[in-house]
């Protein structure tokens, strides 16, 4: 089974802080994704990466950046956290094309106070 | 163009009943339509998927119906069980030849099956 591990289940940070969310996968998948999940808005793609050091903007990249220095690790960075970034953040991986399953972690519930 | 609209937002069904969740899209280039199931506290997981060359796909109690001319597809859960209580997301994408494609998700439907 594919294992996608997100470093924290719950995180509380203050406005203006720099926040790091980490995601690690154990299956050598080339594609990795960061989504945020909000009620009534579904899953919205923030950034994705299809190889080490490669990244592509998703639908809502503003206020976020990402880092992928190793194939198994994909980090989401909130440069200066704001209250409207309070959300559930989900990491996912995929091997192969878009018609292959995406494997999700269990999410990080981030609260910005 | 890139949106997938999902309804209803929430659904309550009695045990043994049929749950129906609908999705609509605009982009006719979409050619892959998966459904993901998410239990509380867990990430979504692929449930079932369809391509537009077929009008229906069935896996156990779960069926996707696809209407290409109407640009709509739906998930039917037959004989719904309390264990089916979860959030369901439809999605769409363009497969093409690239491995860098992305899914466009609907807004999600929270299903509650009452015993």
């Amino acid at each position: 089974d594919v294992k996608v591990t997100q470093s924290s289940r719950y995180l509380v940070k203050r406005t203006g802080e720099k926040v790091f969310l980490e995601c690690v996968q154990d299956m050598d998948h080339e594609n990795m994704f960061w989504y945020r999940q909000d009620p009534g808005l579904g899953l919205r793609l923030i950034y994705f990466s299809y190889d080490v050091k490669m990244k592509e903007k998703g639908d809502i990249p503003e206020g976020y950046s990402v880092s992928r220095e190793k194939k198994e690790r994909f980090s989401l960075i909130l440069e200066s956290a704001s209250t409207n970034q309070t959300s559930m953040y989900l990491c996912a991986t995929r091997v192969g094309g878009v018609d292959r399953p995406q494997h999700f972690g269990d999410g990080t519930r981030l609260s910005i106070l | 163009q890139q949106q997938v609209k999902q309804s209803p937002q929430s659904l309550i069904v009695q045990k043994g009943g049929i749950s129906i969740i609908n999705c609509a899209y605009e982009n006719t280039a979409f050619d892959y339509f998966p459904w993901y199931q998410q239990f509380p506290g867990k990430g979504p997981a692929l449930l079932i998927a369809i391509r537009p060359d077929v009008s229906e796909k069935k896996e156990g109690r779960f069926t996707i119906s696809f209407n290409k001319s109407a640009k709509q597809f739906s998930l039917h859960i037959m004989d719904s069980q309390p264990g089916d209580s979860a959030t369901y997301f439809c999605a769409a994408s363009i497969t093409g030849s690239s491995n860098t494609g992305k899914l466009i998700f609907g807004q999600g439907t929270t299903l509650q099956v009452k015993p």
Side-chain angles (χ1 to χ4, degrees):
Chain A
D1 271 1
V2 177
K3 189 164 185 182
V4 180
T5 303
Q6 295 186 228
S7 53
S8 306
R9 290 302 302 271
Y10 301 95
L11 206 54
V12 180
K13 296 291 181 180
R14 297 213 172 268
T15 304
E17 280 193 69
K18 191 169 186 176
V19 181
F20 293 85
L21 302 183
E22 305 286 343
C23 176
V24 177
Q25 52 117 342
D26 67 352
M27 285 300 292
D28 204 36
H29 288 180
E30 64 268 23
N31 296 299
M32 297 189 74
F33 307 82
W34 275 108
Y35 293 88
R36 64 178 281 176
Q37 180 176 2
D38 299 289
L41 296 177
L43 301 172
R44 293 181 292 166
L45 183 64
I46 305 171
Y47 267 97
F48 66 103
S49 168
Y50 51 88
D51 204 349
V52 175
K53 298 192 185 293
M54 307 300 287
K55 61 185 180 184
E56 293 268 350
K57 290 181 180 180
D59 300 315
I60 52 164
E62 297 79 17
Y64 303 94
S65 62
V66 290
S67 172
R68 193 166 180 201
E69 296 295 318
K70 293 184 178 181
K71 194 172 187 180
E72 68 270 18
R73 187 180 296 269
F74 192 34
S75 302
L76 179 70
I77 303 157
L78 285 66
E79 297 290 344
S80 177
S82 64
T83 54
N84 63 10
Q85 293 177 310
T86 291
S87 186
M88 171 67 81
Y89 289 87
L90 289 164
C91 174
T93 73
R94 188 185 75 216
V95 62
V98 71
D99 56 348
R100 299 295 302 277
Q102 281 190 191
H103 301 272
F104 285 84
D106 290 337
T108 295
R109 172 74 65 185
L110 175 65
S111 296
I112 306 296
L113 304 179
Chain B
Q1 265 290 46
Q2 285 292 90
Q3 276 190 330
V4 177
K5 294 184 178 179
Q6 182 172 346
S7 63
Q9 189 168 347
S10 64
L11 183 60
I12 300 174
V13 173
Q14 290 295 128
K15 179 182 175 182
I18 302 174
S19 303
I20 302 174
I21 305 170
N22 300 299
C23 286
Y25 63 96
E26 288 296 322
N27 190 345
T28 55
F30 287 148
D31 60 356
Y32 175 67
F33 302 89
W35 285 87
Y36 279 74
Q37 179 188 53
Q38 182 183 30
F39 292 109
K42 297 292 185 183
L46 179 65
L47 179 64
I48 187 172
I50 197 168
R51 288 194 176 265
D53 51 345
V54 297
S55 59
E56 186 175 282
K57 183 173 181 180
K58 186 175 181 180
E59 289 185 4
R61 296 182 295 106
F62 299 90
T63 300
I64 302 179
S65 297
F66 187 83
N67 186 329
K68 190 173 181 178
S69 60
K71 292 185 283 186
Q72 294 175 350
F73 58 110
S74 59
L75 177 69
H76 296 237
I77 307 174
M78 312 300 287
D79 187 26
S80 299
Q81 299 296 313
D84 297 331
S85 297
T87 300
Y88 293 81
F89 294 97
C90 63
S93 68
I94 303 166
T95 53
S97 59
S98 166
N99 280 350
T100 62
K102 58 183 185 179
L103 291 172
I104 309 298
F105 284 92
Q107 294 74 26
T109 297
T110 301
L111 170 66
Q112 182 185 357
V113 181
K114 290 196 166 182

